[in-house]
Amino acid sequence: MRTILDAIRSVLSQKTAFPFNIIIVDNHSNDGTTEAIEEFASDSRVIHIIPQRNDLNIGGCWNLAVNNSACGRFAIQLDSDDVYSGDSTLTTMVNAFYEQQCPMVVGSYMLTDFNLNPIPPGVIDHREWTDDNGRNNALRINGLGAPRAFFTPLLRKMPFPNVSYGEDYAVALAFSRRYRIGRVYDVMYYCRRWEDNSDASLDIVRLNANNAYKDCIRTFELRARCELNDEL
């Protein structure tokens, strides 16, 4: 709850030449998050969704948001722990769709503490990604950066798996199988880590489970690409 206010303000402070909404999927929170979101009820750009279902993980919440009628042409991620790096993030990401002619754009981010002070390893930009190796490079790394941004009509056809880890990676691999993924190498996003952050101190059991899941995703994707190559 202490971070959702920062995240919402980060979106509402964006300066754009186009209209936008912020769609917040409040997955039955009981920590004051619901009340915090309601502070912005007077702003018509804030779309507060509480799922009717109780079985949604992060991927399922993503699907609920992008299929909402308030979701526009592009869906740009912001986790509740994090903030955009400035007031031009949305404009930069949307411009990249048109400039690079692609259905998905991934930015670069900086790891910070709760107060936005940089912490190691600092900037994550995946500069080893190139137009020539990007599609296959996605299979060699555990993530593609942030924020992840999607062309909404295609994302609705290629939904997220209903899991709470690796859901974005799975969709990115599926997109990159057939489509070019655009890149923004400037820092667009601050990924905050602190003592209560859910990603800050995973135990070895959870780390191993997460890595095993991504290995399963990669195996599935390799098979799918082999089948695609056979078709071609």
Side-chain angles (χ1 to χ4, degrees), residues 139 173 213-224:
L139 291 164
L173 287 182
Y213 177 67
K214 283 197 172 176
D215 284 342
C216 288
I217 295 172
R218 281 187 278 263
T219 299
F220 174 85
E221 184 60 30
L222 282 168
R223 289 172 176 167

Side-chain angles (χ1 to χ4, degrees), residues 6 8 31 34 36 58 61 65 69 72 97 113 118 130 154-155 158 164 183 209 218:
D6 293 338
I8 294 172
D31 61 354
T34 300
I58 293 174
C61 290
S69 60
F97 278 103
D113 61 19
T130 69
L154 185 59
L155 184 57
M158 302 173 66
S164 286
R183 303 294 308 198
R218 281 187 278 263

Side-chain angles (χ1 to χ4, degrees), residues 115-129:
N115 296 313
L116 303 183
N117 298 306
I119 60 175
V123 175
I124 309 296
D125 59 17
H126 296 302
R127 286 190 178 271
E128 73 279 8
W129 181 290

Side-chain angles (χ1 to χ4, degrees), residues 137-210:
N137 191 64
L139 291 164
R140 294 191 286 265
I141 55 180
N142 254 4
L144 277 77
R148 273 81 68 177
F150 305 89
F151 180 52
T152 301
L154 185 59
L155 184 57
R156 287 171 175 167
K157 296 178 181 178
M158 302 173 66
F160 290 87
N162 186 29
V163 296
S164 286
Y165 177 80
E167 73 290 337
D168 49 354
Y169 184 59
V171 169
L173 287 182
F175 268 56
S176 68
R177 187 188 314 161
R178 293 180 178 270
Y179 305 101
R180 178 176 177 235
I181 294 181
R183 303 294 308 198
V184 174
Y185 292 107
D186 294 329
V187 172
M188 295 284 102
Y189 193 99
Y190 292 143
C191 187
R192 299 197 289 185
R193 294 285 183 265
W194 71 98
E195 66 278 3
D196 295 330
N197 182 274
S198 58
D199 294 327
S201 56
L202 296 178
D203 60 39
I204 190 63
V205 174
R206 176 51 56 187
L207 283 173
N208 286 340
N210 288 350

